[in-house]
Amino acid sequence: MDASLSRSRARRLLLPLSAAVCALALAGGCSGTEPAAPAPEAPASGTAQGAVKRAPDDLQNTYQAVINDVLPSVVQIDASESLGSGVVYDDRGHIVTNAHVVGDEKKFKVSVATGQAVLSASLVSSYPEQDLAVIKLDEVPDGLKPAKFGDAGKVAVGQIVMAMGSPLGLSSSVTQGIVSALGRTVSESRAGGGTGATIANMVQTSAAINPGNSGGALVDLDSQVIGIPTLAATDPQMGDSAAPGIGFAIPVSMVRTVADQIIKDGRVTDSGRAALNITGRTVVDDNYRPAGVALVSVDRGGAAAEAGLRAGDTITKIGDAEVTTVTSLAEALADDEPGQRVTVTYTRDDESRTAEVTLGEI
């Protein structure tokens, strides 16, 4: 699909507790009949030149105001064997973060930017399919400040943003950049505790995000959270090292959808994500290249079963999107909705067939 990344090209932004934190050393006029008037020694107040001169100070003041406003709502989460970040969601002590930050843990230590003692928190629920989770402080301290969450429909390419969290364990850190692109579909690896989720409509940003930023805040200049930093791009040709300036955040619309359901019902009851309701595995051709997704099982009454697909069939296309692996199948469905009709191309007994499938829900 357009703007998609394979799971080998994205890494989680989670920091192992054993990782060391490094200290860095900071290291003339035009021709004419009249003589040219001497240039003023300094631009007058209120002139265009004066306005340009003041602009950097204005932007700096804006940055500092946003940081002072939002940073108290960003926390560091100690999940026993790893460190990540989180964002205070409401005044009842709910904190939203990534599912890969909480992992299989149920209890956490939370450090807030305002400097209170380390607080204890418990898992409310995790939703690995969208790599989101909600934890709750066991005791809510006075002055806990929920973040303001923005409108995903107003996020625009070129918009200035800041990433806040605990990269490399450096709590309350801030970096800045822009929204580089919208609508990215990114797949996360299962290696190292990743969820394997394929996430649609992610916000791509140039703000530096690193291990430990997972679950933190991507913030606009109106002090509103517009996304949760989750993945950084990697370059497999460079030994899976990071590709600088290419990071991805889960959009605020999905954060709200998942967090609100978890807080209300203790789990996600309506994912809004399309599915074929099958279990599949990647198959390879005679040259050992990925060639499709074989159906290991088909849920009775599910979308694929209702369309006549059965175990042993191999899916090769969803609409016009080629399907060669389980990941590419997930990416092909990522932008679709439950109830939408799609054409599925598949093979059965070496014969290519198609079926019109009304998509189900994860």
Side-chain angles (χ1 to χ4, degrees):
M1 296 183 66
D2 181 50
S4 65
L5 292 180
S6 69
R7 64 167 83 176
S8 65
R9 285 182 169 268
R11 67 172 185 183
R12 300 170 304 127
L13 301 175
L14 184 63
L15 177 68
L17 281 179
S18 60
V21 177
C22 298
L24 301 180
L26 297 177
C30 59
S31 62
T33 57
E34 296 294 329
E41 294 182 2
S45 175
T47 65
Q49 293 182 21
V52 170
K53 184 171 180 134
R54 290 196 302 270
D57 289 338
D58 293 341
L59 185 58
Q60 176 174 297
N61 291 339
T62 299
Y63 281 168
Q64 292 175 332
V66 173
I67 292 167
N68 290 336
D69 194 18
V70 180
L71 204 55
S73 304
V74 179
V75 304
Q76 179 174 288
I77 299 174
D78 179 347
S80 179
E81 296 184 356
S82 61
L83 286 176
S85 304
V87 183
V88 179
Y89 195 73
D90 59 27
D91 58 7
R92 294 183 290 159
H94 290 107
I95 295 169
V96 65
T97 184
N98 284 132
H100 73 254
V101 169
V102 302
D104 296 326
E105 302 291 326
K106 305 297 183 185
K107 294 289 186 179
F108 311 92
K109 297 177 182 178
V110 175
S111 303
V112 296
T114 49
Q116 285 111 330
V118 175
L119 306 172
S120 62
S122 303
L123 178 68
V124 179
S125 186
S126 177
Y127 186 58
E129 292 84 351
Q130 197 66 39
D131 202 357
L132 288 169
V134 175
I135 66 175
K136 188 176 187 297
L137 295 174
D138 296 334
E139 294 185 11
V140 181
D142 293 337
L144 185 70
K145 183 179 180 181
K148 294 182 291 185
F149 288 79
D151 181 350
K154 295 181 179 179
V155 178
V157 175
Q159 187 174 359
I160 296 174
V161 291
M162 287 181 277
M164 301 186 187
S166 299
L168 303 181
L170 300 170
S171 62
S172 304
S173 293
V174 182
T175 56
Q176 63 86 27
I178 63 169
V179 173
S180 305
L182 298 171
R184 298 301 200 200
T185 297
V186 183
S187 293
E188 177 183 323
S189 172
R190 293 185 183 276
T195 66
T198 295
I199 309 172
N201 298 317
M202 294 193 84
V203 179
Q204 181 182 329
T205 179
S206 65
I209 49 179
N210 293 285
N213 271 120
S214 278
L218 188 69
V219 184
D220 64 19
L221 295 189
D222 291 323
S223 298
Q224 296 182 329
V225 177
I226 64 167
I228 300 295
T230 300
L231 298 169
T234 58
D235 184 354
Q237 295 183 349
M238 298 296 291
D240 213 33
S241 61
I246 306 178
F248 303 95
I250 298 173
V252 66
S253 54
M254 181 55 67
V255 175
R256 285 180 176 275
T257 295
V258 171
D260 286 347
Q261 291 181 62
I262 288 176
I263 292 170
K264 179 178 181 291
D265 301 316
R267 61 187 180 91
V268 173
T269 56
D270 180 9
S271 70
R273 296 193 59 183
L276 290 172
N277 309 124
I278 58 97
T279 300
R281 62 180 177 83
T282 299
V283 295
V284 297
D285 60 18
D286 293 338
N287 295 315
Y288 301 99
R289 294 175 301 190
V293 173
L295 305 189
V296 177
S297 63
V298 178
D299 296 350
R300 180 176 297 180
E306 290 294 306
L309 276 75
R310 64 193 190 203
D313 294 341
T314 298
I315 296 175
T316 57
K317 273 188 177 183
I318 300 291
D320 294 328
E322 298 284 344
V323 172
T324 56
T325 65
V326 170
T327 298
S328 65
L329 175 60
E331 291 173 347
L333 295 171
D335 290 325
D336 295 332
E337 298 179 355
Q340 183 175 335
R341 288 180 64 82
V342 298
T343 300
V344 176
T345 303
Y346 65 100
T347 59
R348 178 183 295 170
D349 299 327
D350 295 326
E351 179 185 350
S352 181
R353 306 185 181 195
T354 61
E356 293 297 316
V357 179
T358 300
L359 294 173
E361 186 174 4
I362 292 178

